[in-house]
Amino acid sequence: AEDGIRDVERSRGLGDVYKRQLRKRPMIAITFDDGYDCWYYQVVPVLEELKVPAVFFVCSGFIGLTEEEASSFCKKKLKRKQSLRPLNKKQLKEIANHPLFKIGSHTRNHVDLGKVLDRKTLDYEIDGDRKQLEDWTGIEVRWFAYPFGGFSNISFEALQYLKKSSFRAAFTIIPGFVDLYKEKFMVRRDSLNVMDPRWLWKAWLNGGYDDLYILKQKGVKIY
C-alpha cells in the first residue's frame, strides 16, 4: 500500500514530465490509448478520486460506433481479439474538459504509420484526427501517440509530417525515460498490462527492460 501511495505522489501531468518542472525525483505520467468506454466508467473515477492526471490518446474513427462497427474496428484496426466498446462523443467531451485530463491524437483509424507514406493519407489520419477531436471537445489537442508505437510503425514520412505539425510531441511505446535532449517526436513510453505483477511494473518503470527492448528490435536473440 505504501508503494502505491508513493507511485501516486510521483504522478504528474504529461506536460510537467515533458518540461521536467520537478527535477529532484523521478516522475510518472499516465496515458491510455484508443478510446474505450471503460475509461469513462472505470478509469476516470479512480484517477479522479486519487487526483492523478492522465492523457487519453483517441482514434476519432472509433468514437460513437455501433456494437457491430466497433467489433469490426477492434479486430481489423486495433488488432484485438476481443470486442471493446468505444466512448461516445458526450463521454469524450466530459473527459477532455476535466481539469485533470487531456485528450491526445492517435490517428483516425489506428493506422500503422510505418506503412503510410503519402501526404494525403497523413493529412487525413493525423491532422484530420486532431481537428475532429478539437471540434468535438472544444479543447486544443497537442499530444500525439503512434498506433502500435514500435520502430517499425513509424515511417520517415510520418515522422517528418509530425515535426512540421502543431503537435508539441509524439509518443512511441518504445520503453525508456523522457529525455528533452533527444527526439521530441520519438518520445519513449512504457506499455504495461494492468494484469502484470507489481514487481514487473517496478522493474519496467525503473528501466529494467529498456536495453533488452532495443536489442530485440535490432534482431539480437535474448536467451
Side-chain angles (χ1 to χ4, degrees):
E2 291 179 0
D3 289 338
I5 292 171
R6 282 199 293 270
D7 287 342
V8 168
E9 289 174 345
R10 289 168 61 196
S11 298
R12 294 292 185 272
L14 187 53
D16 290 336
V17 174
Y18 186 72
K19 293 177 182 177
R20 291 189 176 179
Q21 292 176 344
L22 305 174
R23 296 172 180 268
K24 292 184 179 180
R25 58 186 306 195
M27 293 184 293
I28 297 169
I30 297 174
T31 63
F32 299 85
D33 289 4
D34 302 338
Y36 307 110
D37 76 340
C38 61
W39 294 354
Y40 186 80
Y41 294 111
Q42 298 175 25
V43 175
V44 166
V46 173
L47 296 180
E48 192 173 34
E49 181 181 353
L50 296 173
K51 296 182 173 57
V52 173
V55 177
F56 298 88
F57 291 106
V58 177
C59 295
S60 58
F62 187 41
I63 301 303
L65 294 183
T66 65
E67 183 177 349
E68 185 177 347
E69 291 169 338
S71 178
S72 176
F73 193 99
C74 285
K75 292 173 183 176
K76 294 180 180 179
K77 297 178 181 180
L78 300 179
K79 308 301 182 185
R80 290 184 173 273
K81 293 181 180 179
Q82 70 272 48
S83 295
L84 298 162
R85 293 180 300 185
L87 291 165
N88 60 42
K89 294 175 188 177
K90 181 177 180 293
Q91 293 167 339
L92 174 67
K93 188 171 183 178
E94 284 187 36
I95 294 173
N97 283 272
H98 193 290
L100 277 176
F101 308 131
K102 298 289 185 184
I103 296 296
S105 172
H106 201 41
T107 73
R108 282 184 188 265
N109 295 298
H110 205 267
V111 296
D112 184 345
L113 290 175
K115 300 176 181 177
V116 175
L117 308 178
D118 64 286
R119 178 59 183 260
K120 184 177 179 180
T121 305
L122 291 171
D123 280 338
Y124 179 78
E125 290 292 342
I126 298 176
D127 206 42
D129 185 57
R130 178 187 62 79
K131 290 176 180 176
Q132 182 66 85
L133 294 172
E134 290 179 341
D135 181 58
W136 284 340
T137 64
I139 303 292
E140 235 181 13
V141 174
R142 289 295 174 262
W143 306 112
F144 180 86
Y146 296 99
F148 307 108
F151 286 115
S152 64
N153 308 119
I154 305 166
S155 68
F156 174 81
E157 288 78 5
L159 179 60
Q160 295 307 306
Y161 183 95
L162 283 158
K163 285 181 176 181
K164 296 175 183 178
S165 72
S166 60
F167 290 104
R168 293 176 62 192
F171 295 80
T172 67
I173 58 162
I174 300 166
F177 297 96
V178 174
D179 189 337
L180 285 178
Y181 302 102
K182 292 185 178 179
E183 179 60 68
K184 291 182 182 179
F185 293 90
M186 285 283 288
V187 181
R188 302 296 180 91
R189 187 167 59 125
D190 291 272
S191 178
L192 295 163
N193 189 321
V194 70
M195 303 304 293
D196 289 336
R198 176 169 289 188
W199 65 264
L200 181 58
W201 276 62
K202 285 186 176 181
W204 200 310
L205 292 175
N206 283 308
Y209 187 62
D210 297 1
D211 292 337
L212 286 177
Y213 181 89
I214 299 299
L215 289 172
K216 286 173 70 177
Q217 292 298 309
K218 291 181 178 180
V220 177
K221 290 185 178 181
I222 309 295
Y223 296 96

